[in-house]
Amino acid sequence: MPGPLVPFSVRALTTASQPPSGLAATLRPRTPAMGDQEVDYSGLPLTERFVHKIWKVRKQGYEDAARTFEATPDESDAAFRPFLLEPGLWKGAVADSNVAAQQDGINALCAFLKFGGPEACTRSRSNSITPLVEKGLSSTRAATKASALEALLLYVELDKAAPVIDDLVPALSHKQPKIIAATLAALTAIYHAYGCKTADPKPVLKALPKIFGHADKNVRAEAQNLVVELYRWLREAMKPAFWNDLKPVQQQDLDALFEKVKQEPVPRPERLLRSQQAAAAAAAAAPAAAAGYEEADAEADDDRQEVEPVDLFEPADVMSKVPKDLQESLASTKWKDRKEALDALHAAVDVPRIKDADFGEVARSLAKCMKDANIAVVTVSANCVEALAKGLRKAFARYRSIVMAPMMERLKEKKQAVADALGAALDAVFLATSLSECLEDALEFLKHKNPQVKLESVRFLIRSLRTTRAVPSKAEAKLISDAATKMLTESTEVLRSSAAEVLGTLMKILGERAMGPYLDGLDEIRKTKIREYHDAAEVKAKEKPKAAPAPAAPKARAAPAPKKVFGQKAVNASAKKAAPAPAPVDEAPTPLQPKLTARAPAPSKLTGPPKSGISAPGGGLKLQRKLAGPGTAAATSPKRPTPQAPMPEEEAVPAPRLGLGRGLAGRPLGKPGLAAAPSEAPAHVTAASNLSAVERAELDELRADKERLQRANEDLRSERSKLHSQIHELQNQNAQLIEDHTRDVLSIKAKETQLVRARSDAEAAEQMCQKQQREIERLKRELSRSVRATSPGPADVSEQIYRDAGMAGLGMNGSVRPAGARPLSFAGYSEEKENGDPDAVTAARRSKMVSPSMQRAGSGSTTGRGSPARERESGGGASQGEGIESWKRAAEVTSQLKARIEQMKARQGISRP
């Protein structure tokens, strides 16, 4: 009896699971047996074949899956569902141990991504990229490498590049050099295909210094290729991120490679994302494509690939680095303290990108510093505004109104360094905002009374027009043109040239046709100059071609077609078109026609209540009831023309149904059949004319309202401009008053300082005068004392002199002074002060003035009171001629002393009492 039946596939698997081992089993010829026959696994589901242990089964499954995906009609086909539910299947397929099966597995993944759409990408990306890098890109087969790279590119195309690059960057730290080199090659291909605007280069730039320090030369070579590819897109903007970390030799090699790239044109992406492809297809299908789509597309691509250097840096938190005592330091009276505080602030905010925070207080402080009297403080504050605007970029827009007007007001400084700093700050503020936001302030300062402010403001406007990417609106273009045209009549030539440059730059943006109305009133010389500036101008914003109104044309042609049909055909056509509508709306227009003809001379009542004579059926019925009257119809019917018309047309008017017809009294008396007929044909004409009159009246009313609103708007605008001018004038006056007040305060302080110094000098001079006066009094007393002491006696002058000199040698108690004692000197304090050696001079004068008798008397030391008789006896032997000579010498000394005293008074500036 045969054993139990076992499924053939399980028996085959059992047989395959126990293969013969050894060389004999390998060389033994296989005999055809029931258990060794080849099994057809094509009946198994694809998901089971993907995980089969036989590589041929897996390989066949990959091939069948690729063909199945290619045959699907759309992305929502059921063939994708199993692989979307089990995305881990692709991990095994991409990293298959058999190289032949691996190649087919990667091909199947490419087909899955290509036909499965974005959902297939997002579901399988996390399971597939790492095996693709480690097993696919580093494969020895070229076809496998190419398929793996195509899969990575498809992952980028279907969604975005950031997740793919984030998964590739960790592979740059792999321990195997070949995987690192393969990853670098894949990154180079991604940037080459999609560009640096689509694929963010920041994560790769951070890892470049470590890669250039790798020991493997292949890794360094691939790193060079990657850097050169990035340089094609970023140019010099990428160097600050990693250039300083490279060796000088590597920098030289890269510079040599960069020189070759500089000669190439601006690169454009070779592949687009699916979202970009859809947008391009929609734009190509639009009518604007016929008006120069290729040119606009090229410009858009050029703009799209511009990468700013700040985008390559991470935002820095600078709010914590702002000095805590900034407000106190800026309120200091010393300009050096204010400048040091601003220098510290500039060092904190001078970074490529700034993390958004509340900088309102800092902006207000900087705006206040723009009014500082010291230009160094103004320059540093302008540098701080520039750094903040460049770091915050679009987030700085909310601080523009705080700092822009004070900066433009400070443009009156004539120093070029201050003007350059303020201009750079204004340019940074403009880049952080837009032309529409800055235009109002710029145009207001074009009316400033200071010519320097006007000049710098118009230069700022020119730079703004060159830099802006947004085309000014018609209202903005009119404001700019009016302001520039007014400046063409300025007295200064540089202002006139700048105004012409504004008009030429604006013409470059809008085109000559759009600028034609603004240049009509100018002479040919000015127009020629404006065209010269137009030819030389370089702008980034250009007027894009407008879409042609092709789709709306058929509707516009179809709408007025029924209005051209008159008579019975028109009535029948209107009746057929009005049939689906409700009954009141259906019958209202028909009886309206003859009644409107009857009241044609009074259109004023028709323009009152209804807003539109056609779209309001209810209003038409009310008018018909008001106008219904036999007397009116009878009075007007004989005046109507009588054209030939068939009689059955009377039945086409269904007026008697609603009781709103003309009635019997409205018919003429003679030939009723012929009288009723002619009333039908002009009814439509008169009704049409009355309807047009209603519309015309309503249109006139709307135009009147529009003109009234325009006048009110113009009044409000003029009032607003007046208020703005008054505000700016008051601000200017306030600033001028503040400046005058500051100048007055400083001058008052200077005068007070001078007054204090003058007072101190006066007090010192007064003290000196008093001192000199006391000295003069002392000298006078001493002189008088000396004169009394040397005055001649009653008998003999010489004896009296000798007697007084002898008395001078006595003490207070009558004792004789010793021989070494210094006699009284006739020389005063002033003489001793003027001479260099007062002791020598005094000794010489003493020796000349003292008589020989006194010298002899002083040679011996005696005690007790001297007797006058004895002195006379001792002096009796002296000659009388020597005494007279000594007296003359004393008189000469006295006169010299007086002369010196007078000279000293004259030198000190003391008036003689």
Side-chain angles (χ1 to χ4, degrees):
M1 290 291 295
L5 295 176
V6 180
F8 187 74
S9 60
V10 176
R11 187 180 304 168
L13 288 176
T14 307
T15 307
S17 63
Q18 297 176 358
S21 60
L23 183 60
T26 304
L27 298 177
R28 183 179 61 190
R30 299 184 61 182
T31 59
M34 184 177 295
D36 293 337
Q37 291 181 358
E38 291 188 1
V39 182
D40 185 13
Y41 295 99
S42 59
L44 293 176
L46 290 176
T47 55
E48 294 183 10
R49 282 191 276 175
F50 267 49
V51 296
H52 205 279
K53 61 182 178 180
I54 301 177
W55 70 269
K56 289 185 178 181
V57 178
R58 296 196 302 272
K59 184 176 183 299
Q60 189 65 33
Y62 301 151
E63 294 175 355
D64 294 344
R67 287 192 294 267
T68 303
F69 297 149
E70 292 176 0
T72 55
D74 53 21
E75 300 173 359
S76 60
D77 194 84
F80 299 105
R81 184 58 51 190
F83 298 94
L84 294 175
L85 297 176
E86 298 182 21
L89 295 173
W90 294 111
K91 182 176 182 180
V94 171
D96 200 299
S97 57
N98 187 276
V99 292
Q102 181 190 13
Q103 180 177 347
D104 291 331
I106 297 177
N107 292 335
L109 176 62
C110 292
F112 176 70
L113 295 174
K114 185 176 180 181
F115 299 100
E119 187 178 4
C121 166
T122 55
R123 290 290 185 90
S124 62
R125 182 170 54 201
S126 59
N127 298 304
S128 303
I129 292 182
T130 302
L132 279 173
V133 174
E134 295 180 351
K135 299 295 183 180
L137 295 177
S138 60
S139 176
T140 57
R141 290 193 171 192
T144 304
K145 286 184 179 181
S147 299
L149 182 59
E150 179 63 23
L152 291 176
L153 295 176
L154 285 172
Y155 273 119
V156 175
E157 177 182 333
L158 292 171
D159 187 19
K160 52 187 177 180
V164 179
I165 294 176
D166 291 341
D167 290 339
L168 291 177
V169 168
L172 298 178
S173 302
H174 203 277
K175 60 182 179 180
Q176 295 184 14
K178 66 176 184 178
I179 295 179
I180 299 177
T183 305
L184 291 171
L187 288 171
T188 304
I190 290 174
Y191 288 117
H192 182 80
Y194 296 100
C196 289
K197 194 68 175 180
T198 301
D200 188 9
K202 286 189 292 185
V204 178
L205 290 174
K206 293 179 182 179
L208 284 178
K210 183 179 179 181
I211 297 172
F212 272 98
H214 201 278
D216 190 80
K217 63 178 182 179
N218 295 327
V219 173
R220 295 195 301 271
E222 291 294 340
Q224 277 190 350
N225 296 335
L226 176 59
V227 171
V228 170
E229 181 60 37
L230 291 176
Y231 188 82
R232 291 179 63 240
W233 302 92
L234 303 177
R235 300 296 179 182
E236 300 295 327
M238 72 174 186
K239 285 189 175 181
F242 72 98
W243 192 255
N244 294 331
D245 297 330
L246 302 182
K247 297 178 181 179
V249 178
Q250 294 173 339
Q251 292 179 358
Q252 294 176 2
D253 295 341
L254 289 175
D255 284 333
L257 295 174
F258 292 162
E259 290 298 329
K260 301 177 182 179
V261 177
K262 289 180 181 179
Q263 306 300 327
E264 299 179 1
V266 179
R268 297 181 63 181
E270 297 179 355
R271 301 178 66 159
L272 299 176
L273 302 180
R274 286 289 175 89
S275 57
Q276 296 173 349
Q277 293 175 11
Y293 171 74
E294 294 81 3
E295 193 176 308
D297 184 49
E299 292 178 1
D301 288 340
D302 293 341
D303 295 341
R304 184 172 57 247
Q305 297 307 321
E306 289 185 6
V307 179
E308 297 183 5
V310 294
D311 293 334
L312 305 178
F313 295 91
E314 293 295 332
D317 185 11
V318 301
M319 199 62 189
S320 59
K321 300 178 183 179
V322 175
K324 303 298 182 184
D325 58 342
L326 179 64
Q327 304 299 329
E328 291 78 5
S329 301
L330 293 179
S332 176
T333 57
K334 298 180 179 180
W335 70 270
K336 289 186 177 180
D337 295 342
R338 301 194 297 271
K339 184 177 180 299
E340 289 176 358
L342 291 173
D343 287 334
L345 176 62
H346 184 263
V349 301
D350 191 15
V351 293
R353 291 186 68 183
I354 298 176
K355 187 178 180 181
D356 192 12
D358 186 11
F359 291 94
E361 193 67 26
V362 176
R364 283 186 286 272
S365 301
L366 293 175
K368 186 178 179 181
C369 290
M370 294 297 169
K371 303 176 182 178
D372 200 284
N374 190 279
I375 59 174
V377 176
V378 176
T379 305
V380 181
S381 60
N383 295 336
C384 292
V385 172
E386 179 184 4
L388 271 177
K390 288 183 177 180
L392 290 173
R393 295 194 291 178
K394 298 301 180 184
F396 188 79
R398 58 179 179 269
Y399 310 121
R400 181 203 60 81
S401 59
I402 300 176
V403 299
M404 189 168 179
M407 283 195 300
M408 298 192 74
E409 183 67 34
R410 194 65 188 200
L411 289 173
K412 61 185 178 182
E413 292 292 338
K414 295 184 178 180
K415 279 205 170 185
Q416 193 61 34
V418 183
D420 293 342
L422 291 171
L426 287 172
D427 292 343
V429 171
F430 174 77
L431 291 176
T433 55
S434 63
L435 178 64
S436 301
E437 295 175 351
C438 301
L439 185 60
E440 183 177 357
D441 289 335
L443 294 179
E444 283 295 329
F445 279 92
L446 290 181
K447 308 172 186 176
H448 202 274
K449 60 183 179 180
N450 193 323
Q452 185 69 20
V453 176
K454 279 187 180 181
L455 179 59
E456 295 299 332
S457 300
V458 73
R459 286 175 177 173
F460 167 66
L461 181 59
I462 293 170
R463 295 194 300 270
S464 302
L465 290 175
R466 290 175 179 174
T467 311
T468 182
R469 294 183 179 277
V471 178
S473 63
K474 291 184 178 180
E476 294 171 350
K478 186 177 185 305
L479 292 175
I480 296 172
S481 302
D482 293 344
T485 305
K486 189 179 297 183
M487 288 187 66
L488 289 174
T489 60
E490 288 286 340
S491 59
T492 310
E493 195 277 333
V494 64
L495 286 176
R496 296 195 299 270
S497 300
S498 301
E501 188 173 359
V502 169
L503 292 173
T505 308
L506 187 61
M507 183 188 293
K508 190 75 171 183
I509 297 175
L510 300 179
E512 296 185 10
R513 181 179 179 183
M515 283 295 294
Y518 307 121
L519 306 179
D520 286 341
L522 303 179
D523 53 12
E524 291 299 327
I525 298 176
R526 291 172 178 171
K527 287 183 180 180
T528 304
K529 197 167 188 178
I530 291 171
R531 289 191 181 92
E532 290 177 359
Y533 283 114
H534 164 264
D535 297 337
E538 294 181 0
V539 296
K540 296 183 178 179
K542 289 186 179 180
E543 187 71 29
K544 297 180 180 179
K546 296 182 180 179
K555 296 182 180 180
R557 287 192 300 267
K563 295 182 180 180
K564 297 180 180 180
V565 182
F566 297 98
Q568 182 64 29
K569 295 182 180 180
V571 175
N572 296 335
S574 61
K576 291 179 181 179
K577 291 184 178 180
V585 180
D586 186 37
E587 295 179 357
T590 305
L592 181 64
Q593 297 172 358
K595 293 293 106 183
L596 287 176
T597 305
R599 294 300 300 267
S604 60
K605 294 183 180 181
L606 300 178
T607 59
K611 298 297 179 182
S612 177
I614 300 176
S615 60
L621 291 176
K622 292 180 181 178
L623 290 175
Q624 291 168 6
R625 294 188 184 96
K626 290 181 181 180
L627 297 175
T632 306
T636 55
S637 59
K639 298 179 182 180
R640 297 176 185 174
T642 57
Q644 296 296 329
M647 293 181 62
E649 290 180 357
E650 180 68 19
E651 299 177 358
V653 181
R657 296 181 184 178
L658 295 177
L660 298 175
R662 297 173 58 191
L664 295 174
R667 297 180 181 181
L669 297 176
K671 296 183 181 180
L674 295 176
S679 65
E680 187 65 27
H684 297 282
V685 180
T686 53
S689 62
N690 279 300
L691 288 176
S692 62
V694 171
E695 293 177 353
R696 193 180 305 109
E698 183 180 0
L699 183 60
D700 293 338
E701 182 180 358
L702 292 176
R703 284 177 178 173
D705 293 340
K706 180 182 177 182
E707 291 177 359
R708 185 170 59 256
L709 291 176
Q710 286 180 348
R711 286 194 298 270
N713 193 11
E714 291 295 333
D715 294 340
L716 292 176
R717 285 183 179 177
S718 61
E719 185 178 358
R720 181 187 177 192
S721 62
K722 289 179 182 178
L723 292 176
H724 274 294
S725 62
Q726 291 177 3
I727 289 172
H728 282 291
E729 186 176 357
L730 292 176
Q731 288 178 350
N732 296 335
Q733 293 178 1
N734 188 20
Q736 188 67 29
L737 290 175
I738 292 174
E739 187 175 356
D740 296 342
H741 176 68
T742 305
R743 191 183 302 109
D744 294 341
V745 169
L746 293 177
S747 62
I748 289 172
K749 288 184 178 179
K751 295 294 174 106
E752 288 178 353
T753 304
Q754 294 177 2
L755 183 60
V756 170
R757 290 180 180 175
R759 286 177 180 174
S760 62
D761 293 341
E763 291 176 358
E766 186 177 357
Q767 292 176 2
M768 181 63 69
C769 290
Q770 293 176 0
K771 183 178 179 181
Q772 296 298 331
Q773 191 71 24
R774 289 194 300 269
E775 186 68 22
I776 290 171
E777 295 294 335
R778 188 183 66 79
L779 290 175
K780 285 182 179 180
R781 288 194 301 270
E782 186 176 354
L783 180 61
S784 62
R785 192 182 301 116
S786 300
V787 170
R788 285 197 304 270
T790 57
S791 60
D796 191 2
V797 178
S798 62
E799 290 181 0
Q800 187 66 30
I801 292 175
Y802 298 149
R803 187 180 297 114
D804 291 340
M807 289 298 292
L810 298 177
M812 294 297 294
N813 54 1
S815 61
V816 181
R817 299 173 69 178
R822 296 175 61 183
L824 183 61
S825 173
F826 287 97
Y829 172 78
S830 60
E831 186 176 359
E832 294 177 0
K833 184 176 180 181
E834 293 294 330
N835 297 325
D837 192 359
D839 294 334
V841 175
T842 304
R845 290 177 178 173
R846 187 186 301 120
S847 63
K848 292 179 180 180
M849 292 175 61
V850 179
S851 63
S853 61
M854 285 296 294
Q855 293 178 0
R856 289 193 300 268
S859 61
S861 63
T862 59
T863 60
R865 186 181 300 272
S867 175
R870 188 179 301 168
E871 289 184 5
R872 285 194 299 266
E873 291 177 357
S874 60
S879 61
Q880 186 176 1
E882 292 180 0
I884 294 174
E885 185 179 359
S886 297
W887 170 249
K888 290 181 179 180
R889 290 178 180 173
E892 291 177 359
V893 169
T894 303
S895 62
Q896 291 177 2
L897 180 61
K898 289 182 178 181
R900 288 187 179 276
I901 290 173
E902 294 298 332
Q903 292 177 2
M904 185 178 64
K905 287 181 179 181
R907 189 180 300 113
Q908 295 294 334
I910 302 175
S911 61
R912 187 172 182 179

